[in-house]
Amino acid sequence: MKKLPASLLSGVVLLLSVALLIAVGAWYVQSDAPHADATLHLTRVDWQDSDGRGFNAPPALVDSAALPPSWRQASLPSALPVTPLPALASPAFTVRTTWMRFALAGRPITADADTPAAPLALYASRIKTDGTVAVYLNGRLVHRAQQRGQLWNSLFTPLWILPDQAADGAPLKEILIRVEHAPETPVGLSTLWLGPAEVLQGRYYLRQWLQRELPATLSAAFMVVGIFALFVWFRRRHETGYLLFFNLAAVSFVGHLHYYVSLPIVVDWFAWLTANALFWLLTVIHLFLCQLHGRPLRRLTRAIVGITLTISILSLPVLGVLPVFPSTSLLVPLAYAIAVLMGVTVSVAGGVCSWKRSREGLLLTLGVGVSTLLGMSDWLLHNNVVSPEGWFLGAYTNAVTFAMFGTLMYRRYVNAIAEVELVNAGLAQRLEAREHELGQTHRRLREAALRQTISDERQRLMQDMHDGLGSTLISAIRSVEHGGVSDVKVSQILKDCLDDLKLTIDSMEPVEADLLLLLATLRFRLEPRLEGTDIALVWEVQELPTLDWLEPSSALHILRIVQESIANILRHTRADRIRVATAHAGDGVTVTIEDNGQGFDVGQALARASGRGLQNQRRRAQALDGAVTWLSATSGTRFTLWLPLARAPKPTLDA
């Protein structure tokens, strides 16, 4: 068995709950068994009509005996018959006055024993009229709904009067109700209840809450949600559904003002506004349905919009001054009839077009159908087909519309969350896949970088051994093969080879960009070699800035430059003192090596083939963006190596 959609099921449950609430309230209002002995239920009335011109303020005192003796009897609840209008000179300004009299002589009220002094209250479910209402007790005015002019919200407000006791303390003998209204509009009256206020107030408050306060609360909530939809539309102009939702909430709010407005409304424009709002409401709902099921229905849309505009123009109060134009009190029932027909048309068309195309359209069509049925009850009340004690269920069409569109908004909200969660899950999967790919790529790049580093380092070592250790060993081998080389010379060559090998190893040690640490390593290697000589090593170094560019290949260049300078001193100068010093000089650092041996001609040494050691020092210094200088005299030689604090970046292959 196929399950009903959750949104449709929730809408049906809400409608059934509202219907049950109204039914319970109606049953409670109609039931009078618990307090039958403490109240009077007035079901018979004497009434008569009189015609006049214009609305007049009710007098403060009225003697029913002074009225014409043309009383007729009627049973309540009922709508009093309409007496034909006599010919008058100015029928447009004719107002009919209906008097209704309840004689209480011989009908005492039995109060409860515990509350003998409880105040009396007069309660009636409804006085159906389009005019003013005045109530007299024993001929004295105790209630006035409006001083003069037509009254448009008395249909939805129950009558509740707490009369003061008569000045002379006389018992209540007569209730007289005076109603001024349009001649063609019948007066409808429910039964009256007279009794202790605490007994009747439950009836009054329940009807007041169900007929006015509950619909007002639901309408206000609908309007708040509509305003929220309007602000959403401001940010998302391409989604016209939010604008239609706001229009629906606003029109629905205006169309139901007459159900719960507190103050008496006497302006014909109010009736025009509330009556025409029903047609605007159906027009907006039809446009919303067209958007849901995706079919424009242009002919039907033109017809609905045309009918709405025509009725709105023809019902303008300014046209009521025309002699041939019917009164607004007659137009309102006619407008309700047309609205019911439009509601049926919109509901049927929306249901047919939404079938198998849009669940949301079917849900909204159901709401329009239910609202149309509720509106038919109002039309029946307006035309006195049902009892005046009935309920204007049209007040709950706002609740039905709110429930239907609230369900639509809830569905879209939940679906949007589900779509976002689905998108997030997809994005999470894609992100996980990309992270895995990036991890694999990073691993491969790291392995490639490691292989390249090993290859570069191997190439560097091979090149360095070829230029340094290799060339020295080759020279030694050739010297031994040709003979004529003393053992001392061979020993010196082998020591130089050992020093080259040690320097190569030392250059691979981490020095953390510290030149002093690198020089300290060199000193550690030189001291054993100087111990067998009479040469004193003076170490005068100071703190230097770090060289961020110092890495193994650069360190080897520096070590070989310094080693070559010290080796030259040991071989050629016959010095007995070597001084090594460092200094910070502007944008660089200097390493100075001085000796006190015999000097040499720097220019001739660089020009001779035997000066390759000096040329190698200069080449290595230039490779580091540095420079070397020699200052030689008969008293000794000063060698200076200058190194920059920062080196220019090496050009990349892309450049």
Side-chain angles (χ1 to χ4, degrees):
M1 182 177 179
K2 188 176 181 180
K3 294 184 179 179
L4 291 174
S7 57
L8 182 61
L9 184 61
S10 61
V12 172
V13 170
L14 178 60
L15 293 178
L16 292 177
S17 301
V18 173
L20 180 62
L21 182 63
I22 296 175
V24 172
W27 171 82
Y28 178 81
V29 170
Q30 296 294 335
S31 175
D32 59 344
H35 306 289
D37 59 341
T39 59
L40 283 180
H41 189 196
L42 307 177
T43 60
R44 302 285 299 179
V45 64
D46 298 328
W47 67 280
Q48 63 171 287
D49 286 335
S50 63
D51 296 314
R53 299 183 181 181
F55 290 91
N56 300 299
L61 298 173
V62 172
D63 185 2
S64 61
L67 296 176
S70 56
W71 297 100
R72 289 177 284 178
Q73 286 191 344
S75 298
L76 301 180
S78 68
L80 303 180
V82 178
T83 305
L85 183 67
L88 294 175
S90 302
F93 296 97
T94 298
V95 173
R96 175 161 292 170
T97 302
T98 299
W99 295 90
M100 292 168 284
R101 183 180 63 181
F102 298 87
L104 304 180
R107 302 176 65 182
I109 300 175
T110 303
D112 294 339
D114 297 336
T115 57
L120 294 179
L122 180 63
Y123 165 72
S125 301
R126 178 176 293 110
I127 298 179
K128 183 177 176 294
T129 181
D130 60 357
T132 61
V133 178
V135 180
Y136 296 84
L137 299 183
N138 289 347
R140 184 165 58 91
L141 180 65
V142 297
H143 174 75
R144 180 173 58 185
Q146 179 67 22
Q147 183 172 352
R148 57 193 306 132
Q150 288 182 302
L151 182 70
W152 290 108
N153 63 338
S154 66
L155 299 177
F156 316 102
T157 306
L159 181 67
W160 178 254
I161 302 174
L162 296 174
D164 298 331
Q165 292 183 353
D168 55 0
L172 183 60
K173 298 180 180 180
E174 181 186 72
I175 300 174
L176 191 64
I177 300 177
R178 173 183 179 267
V179 178
E180 285 187 328
H181 57 96
E184 65 275 8
T185 304
V187 175
L189 182 64
S190 65
T191 58
L192 268 66
W193 293 84
L194 181 66
E198 63 181 11
V199 174
L200 296 177
Q201 65 183 1
R203 296 171 173 272
Y204 166 71
Y205 288 133
L206 183 60
R207 179 171 284 267
Q208 177 82 351
W209 183 73
L210 290 176
Q211 192 71 77
R212 290 169 55 90
E213 295 177 3
L214 179 59
T217 302
L218 296 173
S219 182
F222 194 13
M223 190 62 197
V224 170
V225 178
I227 294 175
F228 172 77
L230 177 63
F231 281 96
V232 173
W233 177 77
F234 284 151
R235 298 296 300 271
R236 304 179 65 85
R237 297 295 182 91
H238 61 283
E239 297 186 14
T240 57
Y242 291 103
L243 181 60
L244 286 174
F245 186 84
F246 166 73
N247 291 332
L248 182 71
V251 172
S252 183
F253 181 80
V254 172
H256 292 80
L257 284 175
H258 56 286
Y259 287 103
Y260 42 78
V261 171
S262 299
L263 298 177
I265 305 299
V266 299
V267 182
D268 283 346
W269 283 102
F270 180 80
W272 176 85
L273 185 66
T274 55
N276 284 281
L278 295 177
F279 299 96
W280 304 335
L281 177 63
L282 290 171
T283 302
V284 175
I285 290 178
H286 171 70
L287 295 176
F288 213 113
L289 278 171
C290 290
Q291 188 182 71
L292 290 178
H293 57 61
R295 300 183 62 180
L297 301 177
R298 292 184 177 86
R299 292 184 179 179
L300 180 60
T301 301
R302 293 192 188 100
I304 291 176
V305 174
I307 293 174
T308 301
L309 292 177
T310 301
I311 294 177
S312 299
I313 294 173
L314 292 179
S315 60
L316 288 172
V318 295
L319 301 179
V321 299
L322 299 177
V324 296
F325 197 82
S327 67
T328 308
S329 59
L330 292 180
L331 285 177
V332 171
L334 179 61
Y336 270 106
I338 298 176
V340 169
L341 292 177
M342 283 184 59
V344 172
T345 303
V346 170
S347 179
V348 172
V352 172
C353 294
S354 299
W355 187 258
K356 296 183 179 180
R357 295 170 65 96
S358 172
R359 287 187 177 181
E360 294 182 346
L362 289 176
L363 179 63
L364 184 56
T365 300
L366 175 63
V368 175
V370 174
S371 298
T372 302
L373 293 176
L374 296 179
M376 290 181 65
S377 69
D378 288 15
W379 182 80
L380 294 175
L381 268 174
H382 274 294
N383 290 276
N384 301 308
V385 178
V386 298
S387 168
E389 288 188 348
W391 292 79
F392 279 97
L393 300 181
Y396 290 94
T397 60
N398 216 355
V400 174
T401 308
F402 184 26
M404 295 301 101
F405 278 89
T407 303
L408 295 184
M409 299 296 288
Y410 167 77
R411 279 173 52 88
R412 295 196 174 188
Y413 178 75
V414 172
N415 291 338
I417 292 179
E419 290 179 1
V420 170
E421 291 177 346
L422 183 61
V423 171
N424 288 339
L427 290 176
Q429 292 178 355
R430 293 173 59 186
L431 180 60
E432 184 178 358
R434 293 296 181 270
E435 287 180 347
H436 180 72
E437 293 177 2
L438 289 175
Q440 295 294 329
T441 303
H442 179 68
R443 181 181 59 80
R444 290 193 294 267
L445 290 175
R446 187 169 53 192
E447 292 175 354
L450 180 60
R451 289 194 298 268
Q452 183 65 34
T453 301
I454 294 174
S455 177
D456 292 343
E457 190 65 16
R458 183 184 294 113
Q459 184 177 0
R460 183 183 69 83
L461 291 175
M462 293 296 295
Q463 182 67 34
D464 189 72
M465 291 181 67
H466 177 271
D467 295 341
L469 180 61
S471 62
T472 304
L473 288 174
I474 291 173
S475 299
I477 292 172
R478 288 178 179 176
S479 299
V480 172
E481 289 177 349
H482 289 83
V485 180
S486 63
D487 294 340
V488 176
K489 184 65 175 178
V490 173
S491 176
Q492 183 62 42
I493 293 174
L494 294 177
K495 288 181 179 179
D496 291 341
C497 291
L498 183 60
D499 290 339
D500 286 339
L501 183 59
K502 290 179 179 180
L503 287 178
T504 302
I505 297 174
D506 291 340
S507 67
M508 301 177 64
E509 294 292 334
V511 294
E512 299 179 355
D514 189 352
L515 181 59
L516 294 184
L517 183 58
L518 183 64
L519 295 176
T521 303
L522 179 61
R523 179 183 180 183
F524 174 77
R525 297 296 184 188
L526 289 176
E527 284 183 344
R529 186 173 178 181
L530 295 176
E531 288 179 355
T533 65
D534 294 331
I535 300 176
L537 179 62
V538 180
W539 199 263
E540 297 179 358
V541 297
Q542 58 179 341
E543 292 293 332
L544 296 176
T546 58
L547 303 179
D548 295 333
W549 49 265
L550 191 59
E551 38 87 20
S553 62
S554 301
L556 184 58
H557 282 309
I558 296 174
L559 291 175
R560 290 201 178 279
I561 291 172
V562 177
Q563 181 203 29
E564 181 68 23
S565 180
I566 294 178
N568 288 335
I569 295 174
L570 295 176
R571 294 171 188 165
H572 307 295
T573 62
R574 299 178 183 177
D576 59 4
R577 181 176 179 271
I578 300 175
R579 174 179 173 270
V580 179
T582 60
H584 180 199
D587 56 351
V589 296
T590 60
V591 179
T592 303
I593 303 174
E594 297 180 353
D595 66 83
N596 59 354
Q598 60 184 13
F600 64 98
D601 189 338
V602 177
Q604 292 181 1
L606 290 173
R608 292 197 302 265
S610 59
R612 286 186 303 171
L614 301 183
Q615 294 290 353
N616 286 337
Q617 286 180 295
R618 177 175 290 177
R619 178 176 55 80
R620 291 181 184 276
Q622 291 175 351
L624 301 176
D625 295 337
V628 292
T629 57
W630 293 269
L631 182 59
S632 183
T634 56
S635 59
T637 301
R638 173 184 293 179
F639 168 79
T640 303
L641 169 63
W642 179 86
L643 298 172
L645 293 178
R647 296 177 57 185
K650 296 181 180 180
T652 61
L653 295 178
D654 295 337

